[in-house]
mmCIF file of all heavy atoms in Angstrom:
data_model
loop_
_atom_site.group_PDB
_atom_site.id
_atom_site.type_symbol
_atom_site.label_atom_id
_atom_site.label_comp_id
_atom_site.label_asym_id
_atom_site.label_seq_id
_atom_site.Cartn_x
_atom_site.Cartn_y
_atom_site.Cartn_z
ATOM 1 N N TRP A 434 11.309 1.799 -23.232
ATOM 2 C CA TRP A 434 11.071 1.517 -24.649
ATOM 3 C C TRP A 434 11.440 2.763 -25.444
ATOM 4 O O TRP A 434 10.779 3.803 -25.319
ATOM 5 C CB TRP A 434 9.606 1.125 -24.865
ATOM 6 C CG TRP A 434 9.138 1.171 -26.295
ATOM 7 C CD1 TRP A 434 9.870 0.926 -27.419
ATOM 8 C CD2 TRP A 434 7.818 1.498 -26.753
ATOM 9 N NE1 TRP A 434 9.086 1.077 -28.549
ATOM 10 C CE2 TRP A 434 7.820 1.419 -28.162
ATOM 11 C CE3 TRP A 434 6.629 1.827 -26.102
ATOM 12 C CZ2 TRP A 434 6.693 1.685 -28.928
ATOM 13 C CZ3 TRP A 434 5.497 2.090 -26.863
ATOM 14 C CH2 TRP A 434 5.536 2.009 -28.262
ATOM 15 N N VAL A 435 12.499 2.670 -26.235
ATOM 16 C CA VAL A 435 12.869 3.756 -27.140
ATOM 17 C C VAL A 435 12.149 3.499 -28.457
ATOM 18 O O VAL A 435 12.455 2.534 -29.167
ATOM 19 C CB VAL A 435 14.390 3.824 -27.337
ATOM 20 C CG1 VAL A 435 14.740 4.981 -28.273
ATOM 21 C CG2 VAL A 435 15.105 3.989 -26.006
ATOM 22 N N ASP A 436 11.202 4.348 -28.765
ATOM 23 C CA ASP A 436 10.329 4.147 -29.926
ATOM 24 C C ASP A 436 11.060 4.556 -31.202
ATOM 25 O O ASP A 436 11.387 5.729 -31.406
ATOM 26 C CB ASP A 436 9.056 4.982 -29.733
ATOM 27 C CG ASP A 436 7.983 4.641 -30.760
ATOM 28 O OD1 ASP A 436 8.279 3.873 -31.692
ATOM 29 O OD2 ASP A 436 6.856 5.149 -30.624
ATOM 30 N N SER A 437 11.307 3.582 -32.074
ATOM 31 C CA SER A 437 11.983 3.863 -33.339
ATOM 32 C C SER A 437 11.001 4.134 -34.469
ATOM 33 O O SER A 437 11.409 4.263 -35.629
ATOM 34 C CB SER A 437 12.885 2.682 -33.723
ATOM 35 O OG SER A 437 12.125 1.491 -33.858
ATOM 36 N N GLY A 438 9.707 4.223 -34.152
ATOM 37 C CA GLY A 438 8.696 4.540 -35.158
ATOM 38 C C GLY A 438 8.322 6.005 -35.131
ATOM 39 O O GLY A 438 8.825 6.789 -34.322
ATOM 40 N N ARG A 439 7.410 6.372 -35.990
ATOM 41 C CA ARG A 439 7.014 7.779 -36.076
ATOM 42 C C ARG A 439 5.956 8.127 -35.031
ATOM 43 O O ARG A 439 6.083 9.123 -34.342
ATOM 44 C CB ARG A 439 6.529 8.103 -37.480
ATOM 45 C CG ARG A 439 7.597 7.743 -38.520
ATOM 46 C CD ARG A 439 7.258 8.237 -39.899
ATOM 47 N NE ARG A 439 8.241 7.781 -40.875
ATOM 48 C CZ ARG A 439 9.420 8.343 -41.060
ATOM 49 N NH1 ARG A 439 9.755 9.394 -40.337
ATOM 50 N NH2 ARG A 439 10.268 7.865 -41.949
ATOM 51 N N ALA A 440 4.921 7.298 -34.914
ATOM 52 C CA ALA A 440 3.929 7.430 -33.841
ATOM 53 C C ALA A 440 3.421 8.856 -33.668
ATOM 54 O O ALA A 440 3.220 9.333 -32.563
ATOM 55 C CB ALA A 440 4.521 6.939 -32.519
ATOM 56 N N GLY A 441 3.223 9.564 -34.765
ATOM 57 C CA GLY A 441 2.656 10.902 -34.688
ATOM 58 C C GLY A 441 3.635 11.995 -34.324
ATOM 59 O O GLY A 441 3.256 13.149 -34.182
ATOM 60 N N ASP A 450 13.521 6.231 -42.319
ATOM 61 C CA ASP A 450 13.443 5.119 -41.378
ATOM 62 C C ASP A 450 14.812 4.702 -40.859
ATOM 63 O O ASP A 450 14.982 4.434 -39.661
ATOM 64 C CB ASP A 450 12.750 3.923 -42.038
ATOM 65 C CG ASP A 450 11.261 4.157 -42.237
ATOM 66 O OD1 ASP A 450 10.727 5.081 -41.596
ATOM 67 O OD2 ASP A 450 10.642 3.431 -43.036
ATOM 68 N N LEU A 453 16.117 7.221 -38.341
ATOM 69 C CA LEU A 453 15.349 7.193 -37.100
ATOM 70 C C LEU A 453 15.717 5.977 -36.255
ATOM 71 O O LEU A 453 15.883 6.082 -35.030
ATOM 72 C CB LEU A 453 13.857 7.186 -37.424
ATOM 73 C CG LEU A 453 12.892 7.372 -36.256
ATOM 74 C CD1 LEU A 453 13.158 8.671 -35.525
ATOM 75 C CD2 LEU A 453 11.445 7.341 -36.756
ATOM 76 N N ARG A 454 15.868 4.822 -36.895
ATOM 77 C CA ARG A 454 16.242 3.615 -36.148
ATOM 78 C C ARG A 454 17.661 3.750 -35.583
ATOM 79 O O ARG A 454 17.948 3.291 -34.475
ATOM 80 C CB ARG A 454 16.121 2.388 -37.043
ATOM 81 C CG ARG A 454 14.687 2.050 -37.431
ATOM 82 C CD ARG A 454 14.624 0.880 -38.404
ATOM 83 N NE ARG A 454 13.274 0.681 -38.904
ATOM 84 C CZ ARG A 454 12.360 -0.079 -38.307
ATOM 85 N NH1 ARG A 454 12.666 -0.733 -37.191
ATOM 86 N NH2 ARG A 454 11.151 -0.215 -38.830
ATOM 87 N N ALA A 457 17.426 5.929 -32.561
ATOM 88 C CA ALA A 457 16.805 5.212 -31.450
ATOM 89 C C ALA A 457 17.824 4.311 -30.753
ATOM 90 O O ALA A 457 17.886 4.256 -29.515
ATOM 91 C CB ALA A 457 15.617 4.389 -31.947
ATOM 92 N N VAL A 551 17.032 -4.914 -26.322
ATOM 93 C CA VAL A 551 16.437 -5.668 -27.431
ATOM 94 C C VAL A 551 16.278 -4.723 -28.610
ATOM 95 O O VAL A 551 15.530 -3.736 -28.529
ATOM 96 C CB VAL A 551 15.071 -6.260 -27.037
ATOM 97 C CG1 VAL A 551 14.463 -7.000 -28.211
ATOM 98 C CG2 VAL A 551 15.210 -7.184 -25.839
ATOM 99 N N ASN A 552 16.981 -5.018 -29.689
ATOM 100 C CA ASN A 552 16.894 -4.186 -30.885
ATOM 101 C C ASN A 552 16.072 -4.885 -31.957
ATOM 102 O O ASN A 552 16.072 -6.107 -32.080
ATOM 103 C CB ASN A 552 18.299 -3.894 -31.431
ATOM 104 C CG ASN A 552 18.260 -3.014 -32.668
ATOM 105 O OD1 ASN A 552 17.558 -2.005 -32.681
ATOM 106 N ND2 ASN A 552 19.003 -3.377 -33.691
ATOM 107 N N ASP A 553 15.343 -4.068 -32.710
ATOM 108 C CA ASP A 553 14.657 -4.559 -33.914
ATOM 109 C C ASP A 553 13.582 -5.599 -33.601
ATOM 110 O O ASP A 553 13.357 -6.519 -34.391
ATOM 111 C CB ASP A 553 15.679 -5.156 -34.886
ATOM 112 C CG ASP A 553 15.232 -5.013 -36.344
ATOM 113 O OD1 ASP A 553 14.301 -4.216 -36.590
ATOM 114 O OD2 ASP A 553 15.805 -5.693 -37.210
ATOM 115 N N PHE A 554 12.923 -5.472 -32.464
ATOM 116 C CA PHE A 554 11.814 -6.375 -32.132
ATOM 117 C C PHE A 554 10.675 -6.168 -33.130
ATOM 118 O O PHE A 554 10.389 -5.039 -33.520
ATOM 119 C CB PHE A 554 11.337 -6.064 -30.707
ATOM 120 C CG PHE A 554 10.147 -6.861 -30.263
ATOM 121 C CD1 PHE A 554 10.289 -8.154 -29.812
ATOM 122 C CD2 PHE A 554 8.866 -6.307 -30.310
ATOM 123 C CE1 PHE A 554 9.189 -8.895 -29.403
ATOM 124 C CE2 PHE A 554 7.765 -7.034 -29.903
ATOM 125 C CZ PHE A 554 7.928 -8.334 -29.444
ATOM 126 N N PRO A 555 9.973 -7.238 -33.590
ATOM 127 C CA PRO A 555 10.028 -8.647 -33.183
ATOM 128 C C PRO A 555 10.869 -9.530 -34.110
ATOM 129 O O PRO A 555 10.672 -10.739 -34.128
ATOM 130 C CB PRO A 555 8.567 -9.040 -33.246
ATOM 131 C CG PRO A 555 8.033 -8.283 -34.424
ATOM 132 C CD PRO A 555 8.779 -6.979 -34.446
ATOM 133 N N HIS A 556 11.795 -8.937 -34.859
ATOM 134 C CA HIS A 556 12.618 -9.750 -35.757
ATOM 135 C C HIS A 556 13.391 -10.782 -34.943
ATOM 136 O O HIS A 556 14.043 -10.465 -33.949
ATOM 137 C CB HIS A 556 13.595 -8.860 -36.525
ATOM 138 C CG HIS A 556 14.455 -9.594 -37.488
ATOM 139 N ND1 HIS A 556 13.979 -10.073 -38.692
ATOM 140 C CD2 HIS A 556 15.758 -9.958 -37.440
ATOM 141 C CE1 HIS A 556 14.955 -10.676 -39.345
ATOM 142 N NE2 HIS A 556 16.045 -10.626 -38.600
ATOM 143 N N MET A 582 13.995 -1.741 -24.651
ATOM 144 C CA MET A 582 13.616 -2.158 -26.003
ATOM 145 C C MET A 582 13.748 -1.003 -26.984
ATOM 146 O O MET A 582 13.415 0.135 -26.672
ATOM 147 C CB MET A 582 12.178 -2.678 -26.015
ATOM 148 C CG MET A 582 12.015 -4.013 -25.316
ATOM 149 S SD MET A 582 10.355 -4.700 -25.520
ATOM 150 C CE MET A 582 10.222 -4.783 -27.306
ATOM 151 N N VAL A 583 14.237 -1.328 -28.168
ATOM 152 C CA VAL A 583 14.270 -0.387 -29.287
ATOM 153 C C VAL A 583 13.402 -1.003 -30.365
ATOM 154 O O VAL A 583 13.763 -2.019 -30.969
ATOM 155 C CB VAL A 583 15.705 -0.166 -29.791
ATOM 156 C CG1 VAL A 583 15.709 0.833 -30.943
ATOM 157 C CG2 VAL A 583 16.607 0.309 -28.668
ATOM 158 N N ALA A 584 12.230 -0.410 -30.576
ATOM 159 C CA ALA A 584 11.266 -1.058 -31.463
ATOM 160 C C ALA A 584 10.271 -0.047 -32.002
ATOM 161 O O ALA A 584 10.014 0.996 -31.383
ATOM 162 C CB ALA A 584 10.514 -2.166 -30.715
ATOM 163 N N ASP A 585 9.728 -0.383 -33.156
ATOM 164 C CA ASP A 585 8.610 0.337 -33.752
ATOM 165 C C ASP A 585 7.368 -0.525 -33.544
ATOM 166 O O ASP A 585 7.322 -1.673 -34.006
ATOM 167 C CB ASP A 585 8.864 0.577 -35.238
ATOM 168 C CG ASP A 585 7.723 1.311 -35.932
ATOM 169 O OD1 ASP A 585 6.715 1.625 -35.256
ATOM 170 O OD2 ASP A 585 7.844 1.567 -37.143
ATOM 171 N N ARG A 586 6.391 0.005 -32.861
ATOM 172 C CA ARG A 586 5.201 -0.787 -32.543
ATOM 173 C C ARG A 586 4.508 -1.298 -33.802
ATOM 174 O O ARG A 586 3.891 -2.374 -33.790
ATOM 175 C CB ARG A 586 4.241 0.050 -31.705
ATOM 176 C CG ARG A 586 3.067 -0.731 -31.148
ATOM 177 C CD ARG A 586 2.326 0.068 -30.115
ATOM 178 N NE ARG A 586 1.210 -0.680 -29.545
ATOM 179 C CZ ARG A 586 0.473 -0.253 -28.525
ATOM 180 N NH1 ARG A 586 0.746 0.900 -27.957
ATOM 181 N NH2 ARG A 586 -0.520 -1.003 -28.072
ATOM 182 N N GLU A 587 4.611 -0.561 -34.885
ATOM 183 C CA GLU A 587 3.970 -0.992 -36.127
ATOM 184 C C GLU A 587 4.595 -2.277 -36.665
ATOM 185 O O GLU A 587 3.928 -3.070 -37.332
ATOM 186 C CB GLU A 587 4.066 0.119 -37.175
ATOM 187 C CG GLU A 587 3.229 1.348 -36.858
ATOM 188 C CD GLU A 587 1.753 1.021 -36.751
ATOM 189 O OE1 GLU A 587 1.256 0.229 -37.582
ATOM 190 O OE2 GLU A 587 1.096 1.538 -35.835
ATOM 191 N N ASP A 588 5.880 -2.506 -36.369
ATOM 192 C CA ASP A 588 6.523 -3.734 -36.845
ATOM 193 C C ASP A 588 5.922 -4.970 -36.195
ATOM 194 O O ASP A 588 6.021 -6.075 -36.743
ATOM 195 C CB ASP A 588 8.027 -3.686 -36.544
ATOM 196 C CG ASP A 588 8.746 -2.655 -37.390
ATOM 197 O OD1 ASP A 588 8.166 -2.205 -38.390
ATOM 198 O OD2 ASP A 588 9.880 -2.281 -37.028
ATOM 199 N N ALA A 589 5.324 -4.796 -35.003
ATOM 200 C CA ALA A 589 4.730 -5.928 -34.285
ATOM 201 C C ALA A 589 3.213 -5.926 -34.395
ATOM 202 O O ALA A 589 2.528 -6.571 -33.593
ATOM 203 C CB ALA A 589 5.144 -5.887 -32.818
ATOM 204 N N ALA A 590 2.679 -5.218 -35.391
ATOM 205 C CA ALA A 590 1.226 -5.098 -35.517
ATOM 206 C C ALA A 590 0.547 -6.441 -35.738
ATOM 207 O O ALA A 590 -0.622 -6.625 -35.384
ATOM 208 C CB ALA A 590 0.877 -4.145 -36.663
ATOM 209 N N GLU A 591 1.262 -7.408 -36.301
ATOM 210 C CA GLU A 591 0.651 -8.706 -36.587
ATOM 211 C C GLU A 591 0.242 -9.436 -35.313
ATOM 212 O O GLU A 591 -0.609 -10.323 -35.349
ATOM 213 C CB GLU A 591 1.615 -9.574 -37.380
ATOM 214 C CG GLU A 591 2.887 -9.923 -36.623
ATOM 215 C CD GLU A 591 3.869 -10.708 -37.467
ATOM 216 O OE1 GLU A 591 4.472 -10.116 -38.390
ATOM 217 O OE2 GLU A 591 4.015 -11.908 -37.201
ATOM 218 N N TYR A 592 0.840 -9.077 -34.188
ATOM 219 C CA TYR A 592 0.461 -9.711 -32.928
ATOM 220 C C TYR A 592 -0.830 -9.140 -32.357
ATOM 221 O O TYR A 592 -1.408 -9.707 -31.434
ATOM 222 C CB TYR A 592 1.584 -9.556 -31.894
ATOM 223 C CG TYR A 592 2.786 -10.421 -32.179
ATOM 224 C CD1 TYR A 592 3.863 -9.921 -32.896
ATOM 225 C CD2 TYR A 592 2.832 -11.736 -31.734
ATOM 226 C CE1 TYR A 592 4.975 -10.712 -33.163
ATOM 227 C CE2 TYR A 592 3.939 -12.534 -31.996
ATOM 228 C CZ TYR A 592 5.000 -12.015 -32.715
ATOM 229 O OH TYR A 592 6.089 -12.804 -32.973
ATOM 230 N N LEU A 596 0.185 -7.936 -27.582
ATOM 231 C CA LEU A 596 1.339 -7.210 -27.060
ATOM 232 C C LEU A 596 0.972 -5.904 -26.362
ATOM 233 O O LEU A 596 1.867 -5.196 -25.880
ATOM 234 C CB LEU A 596 2.329 -6.916 -28.196
ATOM 235 C CG LEU A 596 3.100 -8.120 -28.744
ATOM 236 C CD1 LEU A 596 4.066 -7.683 -29.834
ATOM 237 C CD2 LEU A 596 3.854 -8.828 -27.634
ATOM 238 N N TRP A 600 3.573 -3.168 -24.230
ATOM 239 C CA TRP A 600 3.843 -1.746 -24.487
ATOM 240 C C TRP A 600 3.427 -0.893 -23.293
ATOM 241 O O TRP A 600 4.117 0.081 -22.952
ATOM 242 C CB TRP A 600 3.106 -1.291 -25.751
ATOM 243 C CG TRP A 600 3.411 -2.091 -26.970
ATOM 244 C CD1 TRP A 600 2.534 -2.831 -27.711
ATOM 245 C CD2 TRP A 600 4.691 -2.257 -27.605
ATOM 246 N NE1 TRP A 600 3.169 -3.446 -28.753
ATOM 247 C CE2 TRP A 600 4.501 -3.108 -28.721
ATOM 248 C CE3 TRP A 600 5.971 -1.772 -27.342
ATOM 249 C CZ2 TRP A 600 5.541 -3.470 -29.565
ATOM 250 C CZ3 TRP A 600 7.020 -2.147 -28.183
ATOM 251 C CH2 TRP A 600 6.795 -2.976 -29.277
ATOM 252 N N ARG A 605 7.678 4.736 -22.387
ATOM 253 C CA ARG A 605 8.036 5.087 -23.761
ATOM 254 C C ARG A 605 8.893 6.348 -23.785
ATOM 255 O O ARG A 605 8.525 7.390 -23.243
ATOM 256 C CB ARG A 605 6.781 5.294 -24.597
ATOM 257 C CG ARG A 605 7.061 5.722 -26.031
ATOM 258 C CD ARG A 605 5.790 5.826 -26.859
ATOM 259 N NE ARG A 605 6.055 6.388 -28.167
ATOM 260 C CZ ARG A 605 5.766 7.645 -28.524
ATOM 261 N NH1 ARG A 605 5.182 8.446 -27.646
ATOM 262 N NH2 ARG A 605 6.040 8.083 -29.725
#
Side-chain angles (χ1 to χ4, degrees):
W434 164 32
V435 181
D436 191 352
S437 59
R439 304 189 185 280
D450 289 343
L453 189 58
R454 292 176 188 272
V551 179
N552 181 47
D553 210 15
F554 177 80
H556 181 75
M582 289 187 58
V583 181
D585 179 359
R586 188 168 181 173
E587 291 300 319
D588 291 344
E591 64 184 72
Y592 288 94
L596 289 181
W600 304 118
R605 177 176 173 256

